[in-house]
Coordinates of all heavy atoms in Angstrom, one line a residue:
L1 N -51.5 170.3 0.8 CA -52.4 169.3 1.5 C -53.0 170.1 2.7 O -52.6 169.9 3.8 CB -51.6 168.1 2.0 CG -50.9 167.3 0.9 CD1 -50.0 166.2 1.5 CD2 -51.9 166.7 -0.1
P2 N -54.0 170.9 2.4 CA -54.6 171.7 3.5 C -55.1 170.9 4.7 O -55.2 171.4 5.8 CB -55.8 172.4 2.8 CG -55.5 172.4 1.3 CD -54.7 171.1 1.1
A3 N -55.4 169.6 4.5 CA -55.9 168.8 5.6 C -54.9 168.7 6.7 O -55.2 168.3 7.9 CB -56.3 167.4 5.1
L4 N -53.6 168.9 6.4 CA -52.6 168.8 7.4 C -52.4 170.1 8.3 O -51.5 170.1 9.2 CB -51.2 168.4 6.7 CG -51.2 167.1 6.0 CD1 -49.8 166.9 5.3 CD2 -51.4 166.0 7.0
R5 N -53.1 171.1 7.9 CA -52.9 172.4 8.6 C -53.0 172.3 10.2 O -52.2 172.9 10.9 CB -53.8 173.5 8.1 CG -53.6 174.9 8.7 CD -54.3 175.9 7.9 NE -53.7 176.2 6.6 CZ -54.3 175.9 5.5 NH1 -55.4 175.3 5.4 NH2 -53.7 176.2 4.3
P6 N -54.0 171.5 10.7 CA -54.0 171.4 12.2 C -52.8 170.8 12.8 O -52.6 170.9 14.0 CB -55.3 170.6 12.4 CG -56.1 170.7 11.2 CD -55.1 170.9 10.1
H7 N -52.0 170.1 12.0 CA -50.8 169.4 12.6 C -49.5 170.1 12.2 O -48.5 169.5 12.2 CB -50.8 168.0 12.0 CG -52.1 167.2 12.2 ND1 -52.5 166.8 13.4 CD2 -53.0 166.9 11.2 CE1 -53.7 166.1 13.2 NE2 -54.0 166.2 11.9
T8 N -49.6 171.4 12.0 CA -48.4 172.2 11.6 C -47.3 172.1 12.6 O -46.1 171.8 12.2 CB -48.8 173.7 11.4 OG1 -49.8 173.8 10.3 CG2 -47.6 174.5 11.0
L9 N -47.6 172.3 13.8 CA -46.5 172.3 14.8 C -45.8 170.9 14.9 O -44.6 170.8 15.0 CB -47.0 172.7 16.2 CG -46.0 172.7 17.3 CD1 -44.8 173.6 17.0 CD2 -46.7 173.1 18.6
H10 N -46.7 169.8 14.9 CA -46.1 168.5 15.0 C -45.2 168.1 13.8 O -44.2 167.5 14.0 CB -47.3 167.5 15.2 CG -48.1 167.7 16.4 ND1 -49.3 168.4 16.3 CD2 -48.0 167.3 17.6 CE1 -49.8 168.4 17.5 NE2 -49.1 167.7 18.3
I11 N -45.6 168.6 12.7 CA -44.8 168.4 11.5 C -43.5 169.1 11.6 O -42.4 168.5 11.3 CB -45.6 168.8 10.2 CG1 -46.8 167.9 10.0 CG2 -44.7 168.7 9.0 CD1 -47.7 168.4 8.9
T12 N -43.5 170.3 12.0 CA -42.2 171.1 12.1 C -41.3 170.4 13.1 O -40.1 170.3 12.9 CB -42.5 172.5 12.6 OG1 -43.2 172.5 13.9 CG2 -43.3 173.3 11.6
L13 N -41.8 169.9 14.3 CA -40.9 169.3 15.3 C -40.4 168.0 14.7 O -39.3 167.6 15.0 CB -41.7 169.1 16.6 CG -42.1 170.4 17.3 CD1 -42.9 170.1 18.5 CD2 -40.9 171.2 17.7
G14 N -41.2 167.2 14.0 CA -40.7 166.0 13.4 C -39.6 166.2 12.4 O -38.6 165.5 12.4
L15 N -39.8 167.3 11.6 CA -38.7 167.6 10.6 C -37.4 168.0 11.3 O -36.3 167.7 10.9 CB -39.2 168.7 9.7 CG -40.3 168.3 8.7 CD1 -40.8 169.6 7.9 CD2 -39.7 167.3 7.7
L16 N -37.6 168.8 12.4 CA -36.4 169.2 13.2 C -35.7 168.0 13.8 O -34.4 167.9 13.7 CB -36.9 170.1 14.3 CG -35.8 170.6 15.3 CD1 -34.8 171.5 14.5 CD2 -36.4 171.4 16.4
A17 N -36.4 167.0 14.3 CA -35.8 165.8 14.8 C -35.1 165.0 13.7 O -33.9 164.5 14.0 CB -36.9 164.9 15.5
L18 N -35.6 165.0 12.6 CA -35.0 164.3 11.4 C -33.7 165.0 11.0 O -32.7 164.3 10.8 CB -35.9 164.2 10.3 CG -35.4 163.5 9.0 CD1 -35.1 162.1 9.3 CD2 -36.4 163.6 7.8
L19 N -33.7 166.3 11.0 CA -32.5 167.0 10.6 C -31.4 166.8 11.7 O -30.2 166.7 11.3 CB -32.8 168.5 10.5 CG -33.3 169.1 9.2 CD1 -33.6 170.5 9.3 CD2 -32.2 168.8 8.1
T20 N -31.8 166.8 12.9 CA -30.8 166.6 14.0 C -30.1 165.3 13.9 O -28.9 165.2 14.0 CB -31.5 166.7 15.4 OG1 -32.2 168.0 15.5 CG2 -30.5 166.6 16.5
L21 N -30.9 164.3 13.6 CA -30.4 162.9 13.5 C -29.4 162.8 12.3 O -28.3 162.2 12.4 CB -31.5 161.9 13.3 CG -31.1 160.4 13.3 CD1 -30.5 160.0 14.6 CD2 -32.4 159.6 13.0
V22 N -29.8 163.4 11.2 CA -29.0 163.3 10.0 C -27.6 164.0 10.2 O -26.6 163.5 9.9 CB -29.7 164.0 8.8 CG1 -28.7 164.2 7.6 CG2 -30.9 163.1 8.3
N23 N -27.7 165.2 10.9 CA -26.4 165.9 11.1 C -25.5 165.3 12.1 O -24.3 165.4 12.1 CB -26.8 167.4 11.5 CG -27.1 168.2 10.3 OD1 -26.2 168.7 9.6 ND2 -28.4 168.4 10.0
L24 N -26.1 164.6 13.1 CA -25.3 163.9 14.1 C -24.5 162.7 13.4 O -23.6 162.2 14.0 CB -26.2 163.3 15.2 CG -26.7 164.4 16.2 CD1 -27.7 163.7 17.1 CD2 -25.6 165.0 17.0
R25 N -25.0 162.3 12.2 CA -24.3 161.2 11.5 C -23.0 161.7 10.8 O -22.3 160.9 10.2 CB -25.2 160.5 10.5 CG -26.3 159.8 11.2 CD -27.3 159.1 10.2 NE -26.6 158.1 9.5 CZ -26.5 156.8 9.8 NH1 -27.2 156.4 10.9 NH2 -25.9 155.9 9.1
G26 N -22.8 163.0 10.7 CA -21.6 163.6 10.2 C -21.8 164.3 8.9 O -22.8 164.2 8.2
V27 N -20.7 165.1 8.4 CA -20.8 165.9 7.3 C -21.0 165.1 6.0 O -21.9 165.5 5.1 CB -19.5 166.8 7.1 CG1 -19.5 167.5 5.8 CG2 -19.4 167.7 8.3
S28 N -20.3 164.0 5.8 CA -20.4 163.3 4.5 C -21.8 162.7 4.3 O -22.3 162.8 3.2 CB -19.3 162.2 4.5 OG -19.5 161.3 5.5
E29 N -22.3 162.1 5.3 CA -23.7 161.6 5.2 C -24.7 162.7 5.0 O -25.7 162.5 4.2 CB -24.0 160.7 6.4 CG -23.2 159.4 6.4 CD -23.9 158.3 7.1 OE1 -25.1 158.3 7.2 OE2 -23.2 157.3 7.5
A30 N -24.6 163.8 5.7 CA -25.5 164.9 5.6 C -25.5 165.4 4.2 O -26.5 165.7 3.6 CB -25.2 166.0 6.6
G31 N -24.2 165.6 3.7 CA -24.1 166.1 2.3 C -24.8 165.1 1.3 O -25.4 165.6 0.3
A32 N -24.5 163.8 1.5 CA -25.1 162.9 0.5 C -26.7 162.9 0.6 O -27.3 162.8 -0.4 CB -24.6 161.5 0.9
V33 N -27.2 163.1 1.8 CA -28.7 163.2 1.9 C -29.2 164.5 1.2 O -30.3 164.4 0.6 CB -29.1 163.2 3.4 CG1 -30.5 163.6 3.6 CG2 -28.8 161.9 4.0
F34 N -28.5 165.6 1.3 CA -29.0 166.8 0.8 C -28.7 167.2 -0.7 O -29.4 168.1 -1.2 CB -28.5 168.0 1.7 CG -28.9 167.9 3.1 CD1 -28.0 168.2 4.1 CD2 -30.1 167.3 3.5 CE1 -28.3 168.1 5.4 CE2 -30.5 167.2 4.8 CZ -29.6 167.6 5.8
V35 N -27.8 166.5 -1.3 CA -27.4 166.8 -2.7 C -28.6 166.6 -3.6 O -29.0 167.5 -4.4 CB -26.2 165.9 -3.1 CG1 -26.1 166.0 -4.6 CG2 -25.0 166.4 -2.5
V36 N -29.3 165.5 -3.6 CA -30.4 165.2 -4.5 C -31.5 166.2 -4.3 O -32.0 166.8 -5.3 CB -30.8 163.7 -4.4 CG1 -32.1 163.5 -5.2 CG2 -29.7 162.8 -4.8
P37 N -32.1 166.4 -3.1 CA -33.2 167.4 -2.9 C -32.8 168.8 -3.4 O -33.6 169.5 -4.0 CB -33.5 167.3 -1.4 CG -33.0 166.0 -1.0 CD -31.8 165.7 -1.8
T38 N -31.5 169.2 -3.1 CA -31.1 170.5 -3.5 C -31.1 170.7 -5.0 O -31.8 171.7 -5.5 CB -29.7 170.8 -3.0 OG1 -29.7 170.7 -1.6 CG2 -29.2 172.2 -3.3
W39 N -30.5 169.9 -5.7 CA -30.5 170.0 -7.2 C -31.8 169.7 -7.8 O -32.2 170.2 -8.9 CB -29.4 169.2 -7.8 CG -28.0 169.7 -7.4 CD1 -27.2 169.3 -6.4 CD2 -27.4 170.9 -8.0 NE1 -26.1 170.1 -6.4 CE2 -26.2 171.1 -7.3 CE3 -27.7 171.8 -9.0 CZ2 -25.3 172.1 -7.6 CZ3 -26.9 172.8 -9.4 CH2 -25.7 173.0 -8.7

């Protein structure tokens, strides 16, 4: 989606915030979140 290129930095920081929140919820929930995307 090339139209999003001007917002690259904002997208990276948003993804970082989401990862932080998921990991603060603990190993089991983080694992459950990541299993489907990984496979």
Side-chain angles (χ1 to χ4, degrees):
L1 301 172
L4 295 177
R5 185 169 286 109
H7 308 289
T8 296
L9 179 59
H10 299 94
I11 294 170
T12 59
L13 294 178
L15 290 171
L16 178 63
L18 178 62
L19 272 179
T20 303
L21 184 62
V22 170
N23 279 278
L24 287 173
R25 293 181 66 92
V27 171
S28 61
E29 291 207 21
V33 169
F34 300 143
V35 165
V36 173
T38 301
W39 289 100

